[in-house]
Amino acid sequence: SKGFVNFRLDLVFRITLRACAYYNEFEKPKIIYPKIAMTSRFFYDMSGAYINDLAFMIPTTDLYLLGILNSKLIWFYLKNVCSTLGNPENRGRLMLYTSDVSKIPIVDPISLKRIHVEKLVNNFLTYGSNIPEAAGWQQEIDRIVYEIYGLTDEEIALVEGH
């Protein structure tokens, strides 16, 4: 019966996937993010997961990019450029269309800051986000991002909601 289940899953897989020129991109490492989100939810997939039309992917192994995308600054930016469902400051959702996400200004910093962000992101990938240290890692990523983008104290306060 196990062979039958695998056959049915393979058949469903083949029937439900429409033809596309980028099947091989699914099997590579990538950043996946939902089409609709209440918080920053960019995550790294190394499993070769396939996604449906409720998510998008960025084929990449760039952990620095993952850190930047999950920063408070980039979420603040997206809240100001994306279409919304409700008020994003009061449990509303953002529509994270590729046309908006692809326009995020990504600054490539000096190598030491890039390496530091990559190490912090790797901590998340290795240990997860449900440990006490995770909040500190995210705060450090946000601090580095503010430096990279040259934000003033007043701009940081605006992003942080103070």
Side-chain angles (χ1 to χ4, degrees), residues 130-155:
N130 295 324
I131 63 171
E133 296 87 346
W137 299 333
Q138 187 59 55
Q139 288 174 347
E140 184 66 9
I141 290 171
D142 288 329
R143 186 191 64 74
I144 295 168
V145 170
Y146 297 149
E147 285 180 15
I148 291 169
Y149 283 82
L151 268 64
T152 64
D153 290 341
E154 293 80 23
E155 291 166 330

Side-chain angles (χ1 to χ4, degrees), residues 92 106 125 128 144:
I106 303 297
L125 296 176
I144 295 168

Side-chain angles (χ1 to χ4, degrees), residues 104-152:
I104 295 172
I106 303 297
V107 174
D108 194 11
I110 59 171
S111 61
L112 292 177
K113 289 185 181 181
R114 172 182 269 281
I115 290 168
H116 194 175
V117 169
E118 289 171 347
K119 285 181 180 179
L120 292 164
V121 170
N122 197 50
N123 286 344
F124 278 105
L125 296 176
T126 303
Y127 303 108
S129 60
N130 295 324
I131 63 171
E133 296 87 346
W137 299 333
Q138 187 59 55
Q139 288 174 347
E140 184 66 9
I141 290 171
D142 288 329
R143 186 191 64 74
I144 295 168
V145 170
Y146 297 149
E147 285 180 15
I148 291 169
Y149 283 82
L151 268 64
T152 64

Side-chain angles (χ1 to χ4, degrees), residues 32-148:
I32 297 175
Y33 61 97
K35 183 186 235 180
I36 302 170
M38 187 169 63
T39 60
S40 186
R41 295 180 49 212
F42 294 86
F43 70 95
Y44 194 60
D45 172 65
M46 295 180 290
S47 72
Y50 284 73
I51 58 174
N52 62 19
D53 64 340
L54 297 177
F56 299 105
M57 69 178 181
I58 304 169
T60 185
T61 58
D62 190 351
L63 297 184
Y64 168 77
L65 178 61
L66 181 62
I68 295 295
L69 291 173
N70 279 308
S71 70
K72 286 183 180 178
L73 178 61
I74 297 306
W75 189 250
F76 178 83
Y77 170 84
L78 289 170
K79 285 195 295 187
N80 285 282
V81 300
C82 292
S83 299
T84 61
L85 299 171
N87 178 353
E89 300 301 331
N90 188 20
R91 302 194 48 79
R93 275 49 172 188
L94 300 186
M95 303 294 294
L96 299 175
Y97 293 116
T98 300
S99 58
D100 295 321
V101 173
S102 65
K103 293 176 186 170
I104 295 172
I106 303 297
V107 174
D108 194 11
I110 59 171
S111 61
L112 292 177
K113 289 185 181 181
R114 172 182 269 281
I115 290 168
H116 194 175
V117 169
E118 289 171 347
K119 285 181 180 179
L120 292 164
V121 170
N122 197 50
N123 286 344
F124 278 105
L125 296 176
T126 303
Y127 303 108
S129 60
N130 295 324
I131 63 171
E133 296 87 346
W137 299 333
Q138 187 59 55
Q139 288 174 347
E140 184 66 9
I141 290 171
D142 288 329
R143 186 191 64 74
I144 295 168
V145 170
Y146 297 149
E147 285 180 15
I148 291 169

